[in-house]
Structures are given as structure tokens and as C-alpha cells.
Amino acid sequence: MRSTLTLLHRYLGLGLAGFLVLAGLTGSVIALYHELDEGLNPQLYRAPSEGTPLSVGELVARVERAEPRARVSAVDLEIVAGRSVIVRVAPRARAGIDYRQALGFDELFVDPVDGEIVGRRLWGECCFAREQIVPFLYSLHYSLHLPDRVGVILMGLVALAWALDCFVGLALTLPRGTPSWRRWARAFRIETKASRYRALHDTHQASGLWLWALLLMLAVSGVAMNLRDEVFRPIVGAFSELSPTALDRAQQLGIAPGERTLEFPEAIAAARRMAAERGWPEEPVYAFHVEEIAGFGVGVIREGERADVGLGASWIYVSDRDGSLVAADIVGEGSAGDVFAQLQFPLHSGHIFGLPGRIAISLLGLATAVLSVTGVYVWAVKRAARQVPRIRRAMRRSSALEPRQQ
């Protein structure tokens, strides 16, 4: 059994190493996405005008007048003095075009006071230009920057294999024979005064044990985000009933995509009414249009909450035809499975604990890369050691077959 687990850990580790080094390093950057992006591109985030911010309807209208080929698809509703508002856009004519290249941009930075566009970019575009590098690393992290869902699914499979390998690696640290906690404690130590191989071997094993729960959390949450419907929801749903997603509810209600008759102000007003019915007086924090459900998603928060800390915003989905409720994903409510699903992104990103949590995730990303590199090193050294006896045996056989000198 142990030999089988050893082989499984070896080949899973070797197969995943490159992906995990990439995911760990990029994850360590994007955990601090907004701070790094704003630090590199202050001109995008700075809004010079002073005064009363425009209403969301007027802001959207001015953007669409300035860019008549574009239609606003999402808008940030949290207004901060001196800071631009991020607005996402999509081409008005969608059929038969390359969506990403049709406009040459899909993210606008807008002055909330006068509606002037202070910056444009195509989010996630390759590669290392100052305005592109942080979004590109984000795209690389979760999809390898591959088109459609190819990269998303591939990285989801990597996360699934990584979750399995977490359990295999844990099993291999257990002492052979009768379990002994005292003997197992040796696996948690790093012998810094030993040989380089021993020190790196201990680093790989001990770090993996100390960080085991966090590494498993990253792997499971990676599956949740990349293979939500294919793997995560079916498995969680087997243990706890899950509420239908907004897309599920739209299909149950027979809602089909089509030309919308409501715009952002009406959709936000409808969501605010529904939030008020729950006793939430706060302003919505984000809104976006979802073509697949012919509706708008509006993020709202309770009193004292922040959208970027804890479980984040709750989401109310309303029809873009009449403003009726399509679905609601209210954080902290629902079945145990619902709450477990809501936890995945805040845990994976570190947002659940605010800035300290994101810094911890950044460091954990670096640790993931180190674990992968040390694992490959340990394998390479062991492989080289195994090759020496084989080479000696081959040399002896070769010498035995050589004709004797007369």
C-alpha cells in the first residue's frame, strides 16, 4: 500500500509541480491585486474632479455617449472621493465578432463627478506592460490565459488532483507500523544543520504538514471556482441540499436572453427595495448585467459589513424586463452547503480576514511554489541515487561480456 501511495505522490507531484509553481507565484501577486495595480497605475485610479458624484444612470449614459460602440455591462457603485469608478463594457453588436478585440478595451476608469473617461484597458491582455501585468497575472492564475474555458477546466483539474495529493502526502508522513505520535512528530521538524538534501527534504515534508489544512483549503476552493458545476456542487450537494443558482432559477422560470427593457438605475432600485424588505438600509456596492439570465446582479451589504471583507456582498438578481426577483444569494443564509459554497472565494483570496488574510494568502502562494520546487529536487536526488547501482551493474555486465585479452 505504501509503495502505491509513494508512486502516486511522486507522479502527481511531478505532474502538478509546474502548474503549482505558476499558480503559487501568480497567486501571491493577485492576493494584493488592487494595491499593486493602483501602485503601478495611479493615473487610472485618480479622478481629479471635485463635487457631487453623478447618479449611476447619468454616469452610465455619459460613458455610452463617449463610447457609442459599447454598452455598460457592470459598474462599481462604491464612490470614493478622488478615485475613479471602474466600469466594464461590452460591444453593442455581438454576433460574428471577436468579443475581446471588438472594442480594444473592456474596462474603463471613469471620473464619478463629470463622467470623463480617465483610462481604458483590455482586462487580462498579455503581458507585462505596466497597465496589463497585474490583470494578466490574474488571468494566468486561474485559466493559464487560454481561450474559452479550456484553461479554467485545466486548472480546476489541477486543483482536484492537488486536493487528492494532499491526503496522499499526509498518509506518507505517518510512521510505519504501529502509529506513534512521538515518532510522527519527527516529520514536523527541519534539520537545518543536516546536508542540503536532508534540509530540503525536511522543508518539503515539514512545511507540507504545518500548512496542510491551508493547502487543502486552496485546492478545494480552486475546484469550487473552476469546476463549480462539474465537480464542486455535485459533491457538496450529496451531503447538503444546495439552493439553485441564478442560472438554475432563470431556467426554472423559463427566462430566456433577449433585449432588455430596464437599465441599471431601475434594476438597482428594485434590488434596493428587496434589500429594504430584509431591513438592509445600505446602498448597493456593485451591479452587473447577466445576459444568460436576462437580468442584473446587484451586490448589497448589511450594516457594518464591507464588500471586500468576510463573506462579502450578498447578491440579488432581478429581471431586466420587469425588475422582478430571479434569485438571491444571501451570505450566511441557506443550508450548510450554501454557506460552505459562499466561503470558497473569501477563503481562497484571503478576503475573509481582510488585508491580513490577503497577505497570508500571498505568503501561502510563495510556500506552495517552494513546496513544489523542493519536491522535484527530492525526487531528482533520489532518482540519481537509484541510477548509480544500475549503472554499476550495467558496467559489470559489460565488462563480463568483453573478450579476454590474449
Side-chain angles (χ1 to χ4, degrees):
M1 182 63 177
R2 190 178 185 88
S3 60
T4 301
L5 291 177
T6 299
L7 286 174
L8 187 59
H9 184 60
R10 178 187 304 163
Y11 291 113
L12 279 176
L14 290 174
L16 298 176
F19 293 106
L20 293 183
V21 169
L22 177 66
L25 294 178
T26 54
S28 70
V29 173
I30 66 173
L32 302 171
Y33 179 96
H34 294 291
E35 291 82 359
L36 294 174
D37 194 42
E38 185 170 359
L40 288 170
N41 304 290
Q43 77 284 359
L44 295 179
Y45 289 88
R46 190 182 304 119
S49 300
E50 298 180 0
T52 304
L54 298 169
S55 67
V56 64
E58 183 58 26
L59 184 72
V60 168
R62 293 197 184 189
V63 168
E64 293 183 344
R65 283 200 298 270
E67 294 291 349
R69 295 180 302 149
R71 193 171 196 179
V72 171
S73 59
V75 60
D76 190 347
L77 303 176
E78 292 188 289
I79 305 299
V80 179
R83 185 183 176 89
S84 62
V85 172
I86 298 177
V87 176
R88 300 300 296 265
V89 298
R92 285 186 177 274
R94 304 290 293 275
I97 63 172
D98 182 341
Y99 164 70
R100 286 186 55 77
Q101 301 297 333
L103 295 173
F105 57 86
D106 59 6
E107 187 174 49
L108 302 177
F109 296 80
V110 183
D111 190 318
V113 174
D114 61 14
E116 290 294 315
I117 298 172
V118 299
R120 300 168 174 80
R121 71 179 172 192
L122 186 60
W123 190 93
E125 182 74 352
C126 184
C127 289
F128 299 110
R130 188 176 65 179
E131 293 183 355
Q132 298 295 347
I133 184 169
V134 180
F136 170 68
L137 291 177
Y138 199 117
S139 174
L140 200 61
H141 177 76
Y142 79 92
S143 72
L144 299 176
H145 200 61
L146 296 176
D148 301 319
R149 277 184 53 81
V150 175
V152 172
I153 292 173
L154 178 57
M155 290 303 285
L157 293 173
V158 167
L160 188 61
W162 186 21
L164 171 62
D165 197 37
C166 283
F167 289 100
V168 174
L170 177 66
L172 289 174
T173 67
L174 297 173
R176 303 185 187 189
T178 304
S180 166
W181 295 113
R182 184 174 298 176
R183 290 168 60 196
W184 193 38
R186 168 65 187 83
F188 287 80
R189 297 199 301 269
I190 299 176
E191 296 292 345
T192 56
K193 296 181 180 180
S195 66
R196 180 172 63 178
Y197 168 78
R198 186 76 239 175
L200 290 176
H201 175 277
D202 287 354
T203 298
H204 179 76
Q205 179 175 263
S207 299
L209 284 171
W210 284 108
L211 300 174
W212 186 84
L214 294 175
L215 297 172
L216 180 63
M217 176 271 293
L218 284 183
V220 170
S221 55
V223 174
M225 289 181 287
N226 283 44
L227 297 175
R228 185 191 68 166
D229 297 322
E230 297 87 350
V231 176
F232 181 78
R233 285 181 64 85
I235 292 177
V236 175
F239 297 92
S240 174
E241 184 178 358
L242 291 173
S243 300
T245 65
L247 182 57
D248 291 336
R249 285 289 297 147
Q251 292 173 344
Q252 292 170 4
L253 296 171
I255 298 173
E259 188 61 29
R260 70 197 197 206
T261 56
L262 298 185
E263 294 297 336
F264 279 92
E266 295 86 0
I268 293 168
R272 290 183 65 184
R273 286 194 299 271
M274 295 172 193
E277 292 172 359
R278 295 174 175 269
W280 302 353
E282 276 63 42
E283 294 291 321
V285 293
Y286 195 78
F288 66 105
H289 186 253
V290 192
E291 286 192 3
E292 292 77 8
I293 69 168
F296 291 87
V298 182
V300 295
I301 55 174
R302 298 183 179 95
E303 184 176 0
E305 289 182 343
R306 286 176 51 186
D308 60 346
V309 178
L311 289 176
S314 296
W315 293 94
I316 297 174
Y317 298 89
V318 299
S319 168
D320 64 10
R321 314 287 169 76
D322 57 12
S324 61
L325 179 67
V326 175
D329 185 8
I330 310 302
V331 296
E333 295 185 10
S335 67
D338 289 329
V339 176
F340 182 66
Q342 293 164 4
L343 277 167
Q344 298 311 303
F345 177 76
L347 285 173
H348 192 86
S349 63
H351 279 87
I352 193 164
F353 298 118
L355 181 59
R358 292 189 291 119
I359 292 173
I361 289 295
S362 181
L363 296 174
L364 189 58
L366 295 176
T368 300
V370 169
L371 281 167
S372 298
V373 170
T374 53
V376 172
Y377 172 82
V378 169
W379 166 80
V381 171
K382 287 184 175 180
R383 184 176 183 276
R386 288 193 299 269
Q387 292 297 321
V388 171
R390 295 175 186 171
I391 293 172
R392 289 175 176 170
R393 287 196 298 269
M395 291 176 64
R396 285 197 296 268
R397 285 197 299 269
S398 176
S399 297
L401 293 175
E402 289 179 0
R404 293 179 180 276
Q405 295 291 332
Q406 298 295 328

